[in-house]
Amino acid sequence: MSDIQRPVVRPRRLRTTAAMRDLVAETTLQPGQLILPMFVREGASEPTPISTMPGVVQHTRDSLRKAAAEAAEAGLRGVMLFGVPETKDASGSGAIDPDGILNVAIADVVAEVGDELVVMSDLCLDEFTDHGHCGVLDARGRVDNDATLEQYAAMAVVQAAAGAGLVGPSGMMDGQVAVIREALDAADHTDVGILAYSAKYASAFYGPFREAVDSALQGDRRTYQQDGRNARESVREVLLDIEQGADIVMVKPALAYLDVLRRVADAAADFGVPVAAYNISGEYAMVEAAAANGWIEREAAILETLTSIRRAGADMILTYWAVEAAGLLRH
Ligand code: PBG
C-alpha cells in the first residue's frame, strides 16, 4: 500500500450509490419520448403474430384501437401506423384510397385516443405496391422519383384528412418534404406536421419488418436509401429536409448509425429542429432472439439500447418496446 501512488481524483465517487448515479446521470429516458410503431392488416379478424418479431402483431382494426388506448395509458405520446392492404398494385393505389386500410385506421385511432397521442402515419408506397418498392416504376423498371412525388402528395392529403397529426415520409425520394408540405398547405392542413425520415439507410436490419408488412420486394432499395459507408450525406439530407419544411427529422436505423445520429443531432440543433431515431425491427429481433436463448438479460438490454439512442442525440425514439419500456421506467 505504502509504495503506490494514491489517486487524488476519483471518478468512482460519483458511482457509489444508486442515488448518486441518478443525481449525475446525463441522459434521461421517459415514456413520453417513446413512439410505438403499429401494424394494421386489412380484413383481419384476429391479431396475427409476426414470427420474426416476437411480441409484435399485425392488428385488426379493433385490436389496433385497443392497443392505441393502452399506449396512451402507458404514458406514450405518439404512435406510428403502418397498413397492410389485402391487395397491392403497381401504383400502390390503396395508399391514396380514403377507404384504404391505413387511412381508415388513422381515423379509428384518432377517434379512440383524440389528442392524447400524436397519431403518425407512414407515408410510403412499399406496403401498397405489388413490386414492393417505395415508389412507382418507370418503363425500364426504375423507381421514378418525380412520378412518386405526385403519389406522395395525394397520400399526405388523404392521411391528413383522416386525422394524422404527423405524416412520416419514409421513401427517400428527392424533394418529398417540399411536395408534401405544399400539398398539405394547399388543402388547408397547415397544422399537420412532417416527421421526415431524412437519413434512412439501406439496411439488412429491416429484414423482420418485411414480414410484418407482407412486403413483395424483390431486389433492394439501394438506388434511393443511403449507402452505409456514408455519414456526411446524412447531414446534407437533413439540411435539405429542414429547408423544405420538415418539423422533425429522423435517422434510421439507430444502432448501426449512432455516429450518424450524433452528427445529425448537432446539425439539427442549429435550426432548433427535433430529432427522432427509429429502433428498427432487426434491432428488436436481435435482442429478443438472444434473450429467448438466455444469452442476455432482456429488460436491461432493452433499456441500455434505448438509452444509447437517446445519448447519441435522439429527442424521441420509435421502438417496438415503447409500451413495455414505459412500464419498466415507471418502476
Ligand atoms: C418503408 C419502411 C421500412 C421500415 C419503416 N418504413 C422498410 C424499408 O425501408 O424497407 C422499416 C422499419 C423496421 O424495420 O422496423 N415504408
Side-chain angles (χ1 to χ4, degrees):
M1 204 59 193
S2 52
D3 288 348
I4 63 149
Q5 183 172 355
R6 289 162 60 82
V8 175
V9 179
R10 294 179 184 267
R12 284 186 55 191
R13 276 186 204 118
L14 297 183
R15 301 176 200 139
T16 46
T17 63
M20 184 67 89
R21 292 190 291 273
D22 282 349
L23 203 62
V24 300
E26 297 168 37
T27 306
T28 61
L29 184 61
Q30 290 159 3
Q33 296 161 337
L34 305 177
I35 297 163
L36 179 67
M38 305 171 91
F39 305 101
V40 57
R41 184 191 186 100
E42 189 169 33
S45 51
E46 294 287 333
T48 316
I50 299 165
S51 65
T52 51
M53 300 171 72
V56 181
V57 300
Q58 292 177 333
H59 282 288
T60 67
R61 286 179 63 179
D62 225 38
S63 71
L64 181 78
R65 286 179 76 130
K66 291 198 191 93
E70 281 164 23
E73 192 63 29
L76 306 191
R77 303 306 261 155
V79 291
M80 171 66 79
L81 305 182
F82 294 90
V84 183
E86 246 165 359
T87 56
K88 307 181 187 227
D89 60 25
S91 68
S93 60
I96 287 146
D97 179 352
D99 296 324
I101 182 62
L102 179 55
N103 300 316
V104 296
I106 294 167
D108 287 345
V109 172
V110 171
E112 182 73 31
V113 299
D115 288 338
E116 280 292 293
L117 291 178
V118 179
V119 178
M120 311 174 197
S121 46
D122 186 54
L123 201 168
C124 193
L125 290 174
D126 63 315
E127 292 94 2
F128 298 93
T129 52
D130 54 14
H131 45 73
H133 276 294
C134 293
V136 295
L137 306 182
D138 68 13
R140 290 171 51 191
R142 298 172 305 187
V143 175
D144 185 335
N145 193 89
D146 298 6
T148 301
L149 293 181
E150 284 178 40
Q151 298 287 93
Y152 285 180
M155 207 176 165
V157 173
V158 175
Q159 293 184 349
L166 285 172
V167 297
S170 63
M172 289 302 281
M173 294 301 123
D174 291 335
Q176 61 187 11
V177 172
V179 163
I180 289 167
R181 184 70 269 155
E182 198 187 323
L184 289 172
D185 290 350
D188 274 336
H189 293 300
T190 52
D191 284 346
V192 174
I194 300 174
L195 165 57
Y197 289 65
S198 302
K200 180 171 177 181
Y201 286 88
S203 174
F205 294 100
Y206 300 144
F209 176 92
R210 306 254 162 102
E211 181 192 330
V213 299
D214 298 351
S215 172
L217 183 69
Q218 306 285 327
D220 60 54
R221 306 197 197 287
R222 293 184 183 279
T223 69
Y224 44 105
Q225 296 180 343
Q226 289 172 251
D227 186 322
R229 290 171 293 190
N230 298 340
R232 275 194 308 240
E233 71 170 356
S234 279
V235 174
R236 184 180 193 210
E237 290 279 6
V238 160
L239 295 182
L240 281 167
D241 281 359
I242 291 174
E243 198 174 278
Q244 291 171 34
D247 297 282
I248 302 171
V249 294
M250 180 145 73
V251 174
K252 179 182 176 184
L255 291 186
Y257 299 88
L258 290 175
D259 59 323
V260 171
L261 178 55
R262 169 45 59 199
R263 284 207 204 194
V264 162
D266 290 344
D270 290 343
F271 298 85
V273 173
V275 175
Y278 200 140
N279 175 215
I280 61 163
S281 58
E283 299 168 359
Y284 175 88
M286 284 194 295
V287 170
E288 291 294 334
N293 277 291
W295 295 340
I296 52 172
E297 205 184 311
R298 184 172 172 281
E299 292 179 355
I302 291 171
L303 293 178
E304 187 173 337
T305 297
L306 297 175
T307 300
S308 77
I309 298 168
R310 283 273 300 141
R311 191 188 60 236
D315 297 297
M316 63 199 88
I317 305 170
L318 282 81
T319 174
Y320 302 100
W321 288 307
V323 170
E324 185 180 356
L328 296 175
L329 293 169
R330 270 198 314 269
H331 296 125

